[in-house]
Amino acid sequence: LAAPSPLGLPVYSASGFDLLSILARVATRPHPRVVLGPVDLTCSFVVVDVRRHDQPIVYCSPSFCRLTGYEENEILGRNCRFLQAPGGLVHKGDVRTLTSHEAVVHLKKSLTADKECQTSIVNYRKDGTAFINLVTVIPILGGVGGGVGEEAEVVYHVGFQVDLTEQPNAILEKLRDGSYLVDYSNQGVVSGFGAMAGMMQHGGRERKTNAIPQPKMAKELRKMLANSRFLRSIPITTSTTVPTPLSSASTSTTASGASAEEGPSANGGNQPLHLLLLEASPDFVHVVSLKGSFLYVAPSVRRVLGYEPEEMVGKSIADFTHPEDVVPLMRELKESSATGMSATGGEGGQAVGGPMQAAPRTVDLLFRARTREGAYVWVECCGRLHVEPGKGRKAIVLSGRAKEMPRMSWEAVGMAGGLARSVKMPSGEESQGEVAEVEREFWGTMSGEGKGRGMLTFLSVGAGVRDVLGWTAQELVGRGVAGIVLDAGLEEEVARISRSNDPRKVHCRMRRKDGSAAEVVLVLYRPIHDPLVRQSTKVMESISPAPLIYQVKLADASSMPTTSHHTTIPAQLTNSPTANIFEELEISRGSSWQYELEKLKFTNQRLMDEIAALE
């Protein structure tokens, strides 16, 4: 029986759009070029009508609204290009400056020919924050309703979107609570993210026999890797730098000059692209035992520390570490052998299909390493514990990068107006006369490599942001500055400060969490290089530059009392104007940063006790 439909209007669909028919044609389309994998109603997608002028969006899923921050009535009728800039002001035919113009051209070229395509592109939410969007567009055959005579007609394009930062976290959460389902009946061809699911479906014994899949790459790069002349132009390390059996699967580098078609068999199990990355990456991949011995070191260590891989393999990481950092570093390596609970089932539970598998913990190291020239540099290593399947042998796989620690004088702070004085206010309606100290400023770091305001990102945020803007530090870290700073002009100041050591002040408005705007003074500081590091040109070339330091204080905040001849330095500070604010992180410091941190905690607690006693 047909459902009652007065006046012929739809009953179940409030939008009047036959979405089920569209998605059915997506799932049953012949000869798919892009494997979508599982698709459910949590997916973010839009439907575009290519017959209409400017190809407007005619349907958007609720997940798309949550992903972009726009309401449905702000989306329908617009072309998808509005996501390619903060505020959505993008005109047809304009050269894209805040996202990849090449990716936009690739999408347009494919869709004009009604071909399936997939690319990653930087998009912007309604609040101006940037995110990396994996876009897949599927042209649908069958016309409007899939009727007779419409088989070859394309009316709709369906575009799927996913935030490459958030989606893996969502999947991992479902893996932890056991609610992520794997379709074992779907054993077809997998590509892209499908390869990851395919690897999850195989057991440990089968995993050892499966070769590493061919990496996805652009046609231009594949053509270059197929050119033996190009490969011979880049020297590939031919010595085996892993003497232990742990590395026999994939880490020995034993070939050079192989073409891409020869595959992993000609390279000792490695792809040519992998060997090139290990050779020329700005980071160096290395494997250490739980006792700190180097089991493998990538050739790119030459550009970071100056050593040959053979000089480090077999030696202890302590041999290259600052004496004051050895004890906390070895303690961290020892603690990394501990594993967490299972992803499913909880502690002591059983995973589906076998015994519980403990989740290896991540390992983050920060220490001073000695270069071949004898100078020390800060090295940050990130990785995780690796347990060899079937044998239980453990090692730690890490990626290391030389980092520049910031140096900034108190004189620079005085030139920018000094520190903002905090105020005391009632702590709440139920405070019974109690007062709390409210911050009027917060500090942090931001990326300064982007060409536009949309590419600037908060890297760290001080706790005072809650009092100033209402946000928590965790809510702002990783977000684009364009989503918080409401006025233009910041990018020009970032460009100017790259050419000068003087701080730059910007009077602007910043968005509070409640939606209101706060009048603030944003000060940008450019860190200066460590004089010990500056002496070595090779070391300077291998170090990641320190990020910009920013200070945000309310426009009506009063500064602390200052005393100085030519600059304004807070009187409470006993440091000289030329003293380094970050002296605890100086390379020449005769103690570890862990010790300095504990000492600062004790000093702060003692000061708080003295203030409480005086009050």
Side-chain angles (χ1 to χ4, degrees), residues 501-516:
N501 290 327
D502 296 334
R504 308 294 303 184
K505 296 172 63 175
V506 181
H507 294 266
C508 60
R509 296 172 302 137
M510 298 186 75
R511 178 182 286 111
R512 287 192 172 98
K513 188 174 182 179
D514 60 7
S516 61

Side-chain angles (χ1 to χ4, degrees), residues 279-538:
E279 190 78 33
S281 172
D283 304 342
F284 69 101
V285 176
H286 53 287
V287 183
V288 297
S289 68
L290 299 183
K291 294 184 179 180
S293 298
F294 283 109
L295 304 178
Y296 169 77
V297 181
S300 58
V301 72
R302 299 188 190 103
R303 68 175 67 229
V304 181
L305 297 178
Y307 297 101
E308 292 294 325
E310 295 83 354
E311 296 180 276
M312 303 183 70
V313 172
K315 295 183 179 180
S316 173
I317 193 173
D319 298 336
F320 305 89
T321 303
H322 192 283
E324 296 297 333
D325 295 341
V326 171
V327 173
L329 177 64
M330 300 306 292
R331 184 192 306 120
E332 181 67 25
L333 290 176
K334 183 178 180 180
E335 292 175 354
S336 66
S337 61
T339 53
M341 297 193 306
S342 167
T344 59
E347 186 175 3
Q350 294 291 321
V352 178
M356 177 188 66
Q357 297 293 328
R361 57 168 291 183
T362 57
V363 182
D364 298 316
L365 306 175
L366 180 63
F367 61 97
R368 287 167 287 184
R370 187 181 68 254
T371 66
R372 186 167 187 152
E373 294 184 346
Y376 282 99
V377 295
W378 283 99
V379 174
E380 181 182 31
C381 298
C382 301
R384 56 172 288 179
L385 178 70
H386 172 75
V387 182
E388 189 173 4
K391 298 182 180 179
R393 289 184 296 208
K394 298 179 180 179
I396 304 171
V397 183
L398 297 164
S399 178
R401 172 176 296 187
K403 292 179 67 71
E404 179 187 30
M405 289 301 172
R407 290 178 62 89
M408 192 173 73
S409 66
W410 287 109
E411 183 179 16
V413 179
M415 291 173 60
L419 304 175
R421 180 192 293 275
S422 58
V423 297
K424 294 185 179 296
M425 300 180 64
S427 56
E429 296 180 359
E430 301 178 357
S431 61
Q432 298 179 353
E434 296 181 2
V435 295
E437 191 166 358
V438 179
E439 298 291 341
R440 306 282 283 173
E441 70 173 8
F442 66 94
W443 291 70
T445 58
M446 70 170 62
S447 63
E449 300 176 359
K451 295 182 179 180
R453 186 165 60 113
M455 306 307 291
L456 297 175
T457 306
F458 290 108
L459 301 180
S460 63
V461 182
V465 68
R466 181 184 288 272
D467 293 337
V468 178
L469 299 178
W471 303 92
T472 63
Q474 293 76 13
E475 289 174 327
L476 288 190
V477 170
R479 292 190 61 171
V481 176
I484 304 299
V485 178
L486 301 178
D487 300 323
L490 182 60
E491 57 269 27
E492 287 81 1
E493 297 300 332
V494 171
R496 291 191 184 99
I497 200 173
S498 63
R499 301 186 295 268
S500 171
N501 290 327
D502 296 334
R504 308 294 303 184
K505 296 172 63 175
V506 181
H507 294 266
C508 60
R509 296 172 302 137
M510 298 186 75
R511 178 182 286 111
R512 287 192 172 98
K513 188 174 182 179
D514 60 7
S516 61
E519 297 286 341
V520 301
V521 178
L522 192 154
V523 186
L524 297 174
Y525 301 90
R526 179 171 175 254
I528 59 178
H529 297 300
D530 192 305
L532 295 178
V533 178
R534 194 186 305 172
Q535 296 174 1
S536 173
T537 305
K538 290 185 178 180

Side-chain angles (χ1 to χ4, degrees), residues 223-238:
K223 185 178 180 180
M224 293 173 64
L225 294 178
N227 188 337
S228 58
R229 183 177 179 182
F230 167 75
L231 291 178
R232 284 195 299 269
S233 68
I234 302 178
I236 301 296
T237 300
T238 57

